[in-house]
Amino acid sequence: MDAFNSISGNKIRCLLLLGVCLLFASSATSLAEPKTHQHDFVIQATPVKRLCTTQNSITVNGQFPGPTLEVNNGDTLVVKVTNKARYNVTIHWHGIRQMRTGWADGPEFVTQCPIRPGGSYTYRFTIQGQEGTLWWHAHSSWLRATVYGALIIHPKQGDSYPFTKPKRETTLLLGEWWNANPINVLRQSTRTGGAPNVSDAYTINGQPGDLYNCSSQDTIIVPIDSGETNLLRIINAALNQPLFFTVANHKLTIVSADASYTKPFTSRVLMLGPGQTTDVLITGDQPPARYYLAARAYFSAQNAAFDNTTTTAILEYKSAPCSPNCTNGPAVKPIMPQLPAFNDTATASAFTTSFRSPRKVEVPTEIDENLFFTIGLGLNNCPKHLNQTRRCQGPNGTRFTASMNNVSFVLPNNISILQAYQQNIPGVFTADFPANPPLKFDYTGNVSRSLWQPLSGTRGYKLKYGSRVQVVLQDTSIVTPENHPIHLHGYDFYILAEGFGNFNAQTDTKKFNLVDPPMRNTVAVPANGWAVIRFVADNPGAWIMHCHLDVHINWGLAMVFLVDNGVGTLQSIEAPPVDLPLC
């Protein structure tokens, strides 16, 4: 009988253990399931004080910068945007692939009509196969100056980073600040045809830092402890300026860019074009102290004004002598790093050409569409109706413009391109964007003035679903050569090579990295140089490719890829949402 009771007891214990194991297994499974994250964004005017003055800035939920969104790979985001400001607005989820959900991409008059004052729109999309640091921002006029925030994509539940787990993570949004309404800055530039006024400060997480007036007490503090390794997620949200970034006396190990992992490499200095993100590991291996993180302009244009100030935050060791809240004397002045000269193109190029994918990747080798796009500035003649007292304020009385393949892009204003494309509505755009420059010339040499004035148009280039695309992006010296951060919506792409001068297919093709090129969503095309990208057109819709210097997109440095549906539902764009804004 005792033996029987013992056997029965063991069975019961086994069953109980089995039940507990199944319960834990069930919990683990539910933890690993993708989640849906719901957020409300209210676009509104908010008093924001910087540089001793208060501006009535447009913000999200009264925050500047806006809320950081954190999700896992595979999760779905549902964000209701309500516009309580006096301007039209849209939100773009920069770098999100938007597979079949182009209606949620956000660029004004490209994938949607803007959200009018008093209106709302709910963005719905799923993150598929992406991990790392991205961001969101307004894609309407110059609202992006203050309407932006981080979008962090963690690995799936149970997965880990392909590098040692950091002790802590810090997101750093680099931005620009005007002591003026940025919309008015743009409007004045549009009215006069001249270049817009440059910003009054750069910022880190919305704060200019120690080196500006009325800014010291709000300088961002980044904590670190001796011996620990932390992850810095750095985003260039500046409106018009590529930026150098560094940390005094510390090496930075780059592990990811534009939400794609990279083969780790170390650098003292980063260069990020507007729109680009870079994740770096930093180790507390220096004497406990306070060290400046600093960012300043990388400026490659010639004879043009730019904001030459420096923004700072403070990397503070926990055991640093006399932190700001200490009582035994004044805080110890942080150690200042040495930043490159503003025009140090060699340092910028050395950094951007160091990126590699962590392992061999499947680069398209057979090409269906071999495209060559010139990118750069131009000048339009001043309209005759403007008299001498209101003469245009570009060089020699002209108006600044910009173009790709001599086409200066014009947005429609009564319907979005995606709606017109999907619904076959004529008269909104043409599908005849040139695959090559209309005229070959010495792109980086002394360009004839007859080529300085582009044509205007809303022109797209059609791609069949699944086509393999190569684009050579060639800077020109018209007006001035310049480093252009070119961003493609709806896609990541491989950067095969970059170089200076005119691209030469006979010799430069030999430089292509077809083994482990980096994957990005924004490529910094070198000043007076070129870059080559490849991607597979596997996402149907209307996808704008443009310079992420907002002054240049306003001048027309953009085009649109029109990607056809493939076969069946899974290769076709979804139906438009019922709450898609009307024009």
Side-chain angles (χ1 to χ4, degrees):
M1 190 71 177
D2 288 340
F4 175 78
N5 286 337
S6 175
I7 292 170
S8 298
N10 286 335
K11 282 184 176 179
I12 291 168
R13 280 192 291 272
C14 285
L15 288 170
L16 284 171
L17 282 171
L18 179 61
V20 169
C21 290
L22 288 172
L23 182 63
F24 274 110
S26 174
S27 299
T29 303
S30 63
L31 279 174
E33 288 178 357
K35 297 178 182 176
T36 297
H37 304 261
Q38 300 201 4
H39 298 274
D40 287 300
F41 277 14
V42 178
I43 312 293
Q44 61 191 52
T46 304
V48 178
K49 186 176 183 179
R50 297 291 186 275
L51 308 183
C52 318
T53 62
T54 299
Q55 299 293 331
N56 217 20
S57 299
I58 306 303
T59 66
V60 171
N61 299 348
Q63 301 175 39
F64 171 65
T68 293
L69 305 184
E70 297 197 49
V71 299
N72 291 87
N73 181 4
D75 288 354
T76 295
L77 267 170
V78 179
V79 184
K80 182 180 180 181
V81 178
T82 302
N83 187 4
K84 292 187 177 180
R86 59 192 177 104
Y87 306 108
N88 294 338
V89 72
T90 64
I91 299 294
H92 169 53
W93 314 93
H94 186 109
I96 294 291
R97 285 292 316 271
Q98 299 290 1
M99 297 299 294
R100 302 179 53 238
T101 53
W103 305 105
D105 189 44
E108 180 181 48
F109 293 116
V110 178
T111 60
Q112 67 169 96
C113 295
I115 306 168
R116 304 288 184 185
S120 66
Y121 177 50
T122 300
Y123 294 88
R124 297 175 176 85
F125 55 90
T126 298
I127 291 96
Q128 301 180 46
Q130 294 184 276
E131 295 177 10
T133 304
L134 295 175
W135 62 302
W136 56 264
H137 60 80
H139 212 297
S140 181
S141 186
W142 269 20
L143 289 181
R144 179 165 82 78
T146 53
V147 178
Y148 63 87
L151 174 50
I152 310 301
I153 308 170
H154 298 286
K156 291 180 179 179
Q157 293 280 357
D159 289 351
S160 59
Y161 298 127
F163 47 82
T164 304
K165 185 178 180 181
K167 185 72 180 290
R168 75 180 84 224
E169 302 182 9
T170 303
T171 300
L172 300 173
L173 287 144
L174 312 180
E176 279 183 279
W177 175 263
W178 277 260
N179 277 338
N181 180 343
I183 303 296
N184 292 341
V185 174
L186 174 62
R187 285 176 175 172
Q188 181 187 17
S189 168
T190 303
R191 186 173 64 251
T192 65
N197 293 338
V198 299
S199 57
D200 295 288
Y202 299 114
T203 58
I204 298 177
N205 290 354
Q207 296 293 341
D210 276 5
L211 307 184
Y212 297 89
N213 292 335
C214 307
S215 301
S216 292
Q217 66 181 20
D218 296 312
T219 299
I220 298 298
I221 303 293
V222 179
I224 196 168
D225 210 356
S226 293
E228 72 181 22
T229 297
N230 295 343
L231 181 68
L232 302 182
R233 300 178 179 273
I234 304 157
I235 301 164
N236 186 353
L239 209 65
N240 292 315
Q241 193 58 63
L243 294 167
F244 286 122
F245 174 91
T246 191
V247 182
N249 294 9
H250 288 73
K251 286 183 179 178
L252 304 172
T253 300
I254 293 85
V255 293
S256 179
D258 292 359
S260 291
Y261 294 119
T262 66
K263 192 171 291 181
F265 68 97
T266 60
S267 179
R268 292 282 185 184
V269 179
L270 315 181
M271 194 287 286
L272 295 90
Q276 292 186 320
T277 72
T278 306
D279 293 355
V280 303
L281 296 174
I282 184 170
T283 299
D285 57 5
Q286 296 299 304
R290 307 173 75 223
Y291 300 86
Y292 274 129
L293 304 90
R296 66 173 290 186
Y298 164 50
F299 192 72
S300 55
Q302 299 169 3
N303 303 317
F306 70 100
D307 180 350
N308 65 355
T309 60
T310 301
T311 181
T312 54
I314 299 171
L315 182 75
E316 183 174 276
Y317 281 70
K318 287 182 180 178
S319 53
C322 198
S323 62
N325 58 0
C326 66
T327 57
N328 59 347
V332 176
K333 187 73 174 173
I335 298 167
M336 190 70 188
Q338 185 172 6
L339 280 155
F342 72 87
N343 59 354
D344 191 345
T345 291
T347 293
S349 179
F351 177 72
T352 58
T353 55
S354 295
F355 286 86
R356 299 285 184 275
S357 286
R359 60 193 64 83
K360 190 178 189 304
V361 293
E362 293 185 15
V363 185
T365 50
E366 299 294 320
I367 301 300
D368 302 305
E369 299 279 357
N370 197 353
L371 309 175
F372 190 105
F373 292 173
T374 55
I375 57 175
L377 305 184
L379 298 174
N380 281 333
N381 294 329
C382 195
K384 292 180 180 178
H385 68 272
L386 293 181
N387 59 37
Q388 290 300 312
T389 59
R390 296 176 58 204
R391 188 168 172 79
C392 295
Q393 293 177 13
N396 300 315
T398 59
R399 297 179 62 86
F400 277 110
T401 185
S403 67
M404 287 190 176
N405 275 358
N406 205 45
V407 179
S408 188
F409 187 73
V410 179
L411 286 169
N413 57 19
N414 57 1
I415 192 172
S416 76
I417 293 172
L418 181 56
Q419 286 172 286
Y421 179 49
Q422 194 227 18
Q423 298 168 21
N424 293 316
I425 298 172
V428 178
F429 66 86
T430 57
D432 58 351
F433 186 86
N436 295 280
L439 187 69
K440 289 185 179 180
F441 57 95
D442 182 2
Y443 307 114
T444 56
N446 191 7
V447 183
S448 167
R449 287 294 179 112
S450 63
L451 298 173
W452 284 38
Q453 183 160 335
L455 302 173
S456 295
T458 309
R459 301 166 71 178
Y461 191 89
K462 289 197 75 170
L463 294 172
K464 290 182 180 177
Y465 184 92
S467 57
R468 296 155 296 187
V469 185
Q470 174 174 295
V471 187
V472 177
L473 296 163
Q474 173 72 60
D475 185 33
T476 74
S477 58
I478 296 175
V479 182
T480 177
E482 190 167 359
N483 186 289
H484 295 278
I486 301 297
H487 173 47
L488 174 58
H489 288 225
Y491 288 91
D492 288 324
F493 48 74
Y494 290 114
I495 304 175
L496 302 192
E498 64 176 66
F500 294 97
N502 297 333
F503 176 77
N504 184 318
Q506 272 68 47
T507 57
D508 291 330
T509 304
K510 298 172 186 175
K511 304 172 185 175
F512 286 3
N513 178 2
L514 299 176
V515 178
D516 59 354
M519 179 177 277
R520 304 293 297 259
N521 62 55
T522 304
V523 55
V525 179
N528 246 341
W530 51 268
V532 181
I533 65 172
R534 283 187 190 175
F535 63 96
V536 176
D538 59 358
N539 193 11
W543 305 107
I544 189 169
M545 184 166 74
H546 66 89
C547 182
H548 222 277
L549 306 179
D550 271 25
V551 60
H552 290 177
I553 188 174
N554 291 117
W555 288 343
L557 214 170
M559 59 81 63
V560 170
F561 282 114
L562 306 163
V563 183
D564 289 336
N565 286 331
V567 178
T569 302
L570 295 181
Q571 293 184 0
S572 302
I573 191 168
E574 293 179 359
V578 293
D579 64 338
L580 189 71
L582 301 174
C583 286

